[in-house]
Amino acid sequence: MSSAEIASKAEQLSIGDNLLYVDEAAGSDEAGAGTATAPYKTAVGAVGIVSGMPAEKQESFKIMVKKAGSDEYAEITASALKKAKNAHAVAVKKAKKQAEQLAKEQAQNEAKQAEQQRKLEESKQVRLEQDASLPEAKLIRIKDAEANRGRRVKVFGWVHRVRVQGRDMMFVVLRDGTGHLQSVLTNRLCHTYDALTLTLETSVALYGVVSAVPAGKTAPGGHELTVDYWEVVGRAPGGDDAITNRVSADADPSIRLQQRHLVIRSDAASAVLKVRARVMRAFRDHFESVGYAEVTPPCMVQTQVEGGSTLFSFDYYGEEAYLTQSSQLYLETCLPAMGAVYTMAESYRAEKSHTRRHLSEYTHCEAEVPFISFEDLLDGIEAMVKDVVNRVWAEPETRALIEQLNPGFTPFTEPFKRMRYEEAIAWLNENGVKHEDGSDYVFGEDIPESPERAMTDAIGKPILLTHFPGPIKAFYMPATKEDPRVTESVDLLMPGVGEIVGGSMRTWDHADLVAAYQREGLDTAPYYWYLDQRKYGTCPHGGFGLGVERFLAWLTNQYTVRDCCLYPRFVGRCAP
């Protein structure tokens, strides 16, 4: 309690009332008034009130104390009163010392702020000019720094980190999207207003000579830029609006999603996006190497592929239309015209799922191949995944990013495990993976995500899970000749993620396909163009779809596919 508060309470006491009450169980030194109905809690609190009175009044007051567990007030004993007065004196002395220290610190802070303001005002008078005697600077990107060691260069970028070392030296780590560059500013370069107020994410232009870092020192790329001139291009805010106050690694996921445009500037997020770019290129390079042609099917459709419950519908000039669930049907129409084809396009699923592996919009790598067998299809999926991994792993820059995100990762050295659906059901039951009610899984039911992942993680290698029952798969998947209960279908399961590929042979007999439509209760009229593929020179063919975000989640060891795309879209999130 402050001296002012003590004095105020002392003034409020009635002159005729010479008793102060203390209830050690129910009183309050802060809210009490010293009366029987609003007593203080401690004798020290009461002594503090008395000490705030004029000296001639202090002796007339008595302190009445009710001990904890007692129902009666009794006058405080002499020893207890002496102890309370001593404690109060100590508290007063301590409060005085704290006040003096606070005043001293406040004065020091004010002096420091005044000095900082003086330096800022002085810094506004410091003007930098390029040295005309120096060689003309070559504009480079940071990834080209090593090739330009010993040369004067100019680099644009964003301030990623800043470290001030004394008055005459500062280290700035610059980021330009192609890499990071440690830069050293000395003397007058550190004395400008821009230098003293430099904030993270400010965009700058730095001029200087790139050289290898001294022995025993480390820096990104093993080199640094000794700056001889620099300028601010676009200043970023500091204070409450500084980027470190907008986003942080431990912020709530909803905040990080709302600030995704800033989050992607971080080392981890940008590394995932860079790996994604290389993976997309690797898929295209793979398909090019095996002779598949890339096509770009429409994303606005009037047919379904994976069931009507997951369609996003919209009004298309007065007609009902949907965002595509898959480009498969369109790819199949290209086979007679182009041979094997693929696409890298967005697909949309209106699944109200909150799992870490589901998105409402995702990048779909799909391919269709004519004149193949089911074994050919399985071999092709395995070869594609292995080839894409090997391609990105062979690039030093991409490999470094993968190792940064997923330490210990190594490419495949063994064949993928091939397991039939029926074998998976048996594995789950034999290994104690049950339904929540403790019952076994039985043939014919879909295997949920959790037990599927438990099995995949336990086996510890990619699994080509095949021959699913027809009722749990899409209408266009044909039954096998040896067992009409199951289809020529496959899911590729990866440890840590689960399913990343779904594929099958396609029903290629016209009558069988029409019957499949009828079983599903689908009107064949909107699919006339798809049925015509079975009418005008049909052939056995198959294909698959791979979720790029799931592939990336596995490759870069990300917990959720939401971190594997630029701006994730899922239930409740369609911004920014």
Side-chain angles (χ1 to χ4, degrees), residues 211-356:
S211 57
V213 293
K217 303 293 184 180
T218 60
H223 45 244
E224 63 185 9
L225 180 69
T226 301
V227 179
D228 57 57
Y229 177 77
W230 72 287
E231 55 192 358
V232 168
V233 176
R235 187 183 301 277
D240 292 341
D241 205 25
I243 191 169
T244 50
N245 291 326
R246 294 282 297 276
V247 293
S248 63
D250 58 354
D252 185 88
S254 63
I255 294 176
R256 291 178 60 81
L257 286 166
Q258 193 67 20
Q259 304 296 330
R260 178 71 176 166
H261 59 295
L262 299 177
V263 168
I264 60 176
R265 301 185 182 203
S266 69
D267 289 336
S270 63
V272 171
L273 294 178
K274 289 174 183 177
V275 173
R276 178 188 172 100
R278 275 116 176 124
V279 163
M280 296 283 282
R281 184 181 66 201
F283 273 111
R284 288 189 164 95
D285 289 345
H286 166 77
F287 288 124
E288 178 71 20
S289 72
V290 294
Y292 290 22
E294 182 173 9
V295 294
T296 52
C299 66
M300 295 184 290
V301 301
Q302 290 186 308
T303 52
Q304 66 184 52
V305 182
E306 300 294 339
S309 63
T310 62
L311 286 168
F312 281 108
S313 62
F314 64 95
D315 181 89
Y316 186 75
Y317 303 113
E319 298 181 64
E320 186 175 28
Y322 316 103
L323 294 177
T324 184
Q325 300 166 310
S326 166
S327 297
Q328 174 201 322
L329 306 190
Y330 292 101
L331 293 182
E332 289 186 57
T333 68
C334 298
L335 299 182
M338 305 176 70
V341 292
Y342 78 96
T343 188
M344 303 284 287
E346 302 307 295
S347 286
Y348 305 85
R349 303 284 174 90
E351 292 180 286
K352 294 184 178 180
S353 175
H354 292 275
T355 75
R356 57 182 170 139

Side-chain angles (χ1 to χ4, degrees), residues 139 153-159 174 185 202-208 225 227 229-234:
L139 179 62
V153 300
K154 176 182 180 181
V155 187
F156 287 105
W158 290 265
V159 176
L174 197 68
L185 286 71
T202 291
S203 56
V204 297
L206 304 182
Y207 298 71
L225 180 69
V227 179
Y229 177 77
W230 72 287
E231 55 192 358
V232 168
V233 176

Side-chain angles (χ1 to χ4, degrees), residues 118 205 220 269 332 361 377-378 433 446 481 483 488-489 545 564:
R118 184 187 66 78
E332 289 186 57
E361 176 186 46
L377 177 65
L378 300 183
V433 182
D446 197 7
K481 292 180 180 179
D483 185 354
E488 291 183 311
S489 53
C564 297

Side-chain angles (χ1 to χ4, degrees), residues 72 370 500:
E72 300 293 332
I500 67 167

Side-chain angles (χ1 to χ4, degrees), residues 504-515:
S504 76
M505 297 300 289
R506 315 309 191 190
T507 297
W508 58 287
D509 180 80
H510 186 277
D512 289 345
L513 186 57
V514 170

Side-chain angles (χ1 to χ4, degrees), residues 552-570:
L552 281 164
W554 163 75
L555 181 63
T556 62
N557 193 34
Q558 299 301 294
Y559 177 75
T560 171
V561 293
R562 296 174 184 178
D563 292 332
C564 297
C565 54
L566 186 59
Y567 291 101
R569 298 291 184 255
F570 54 93

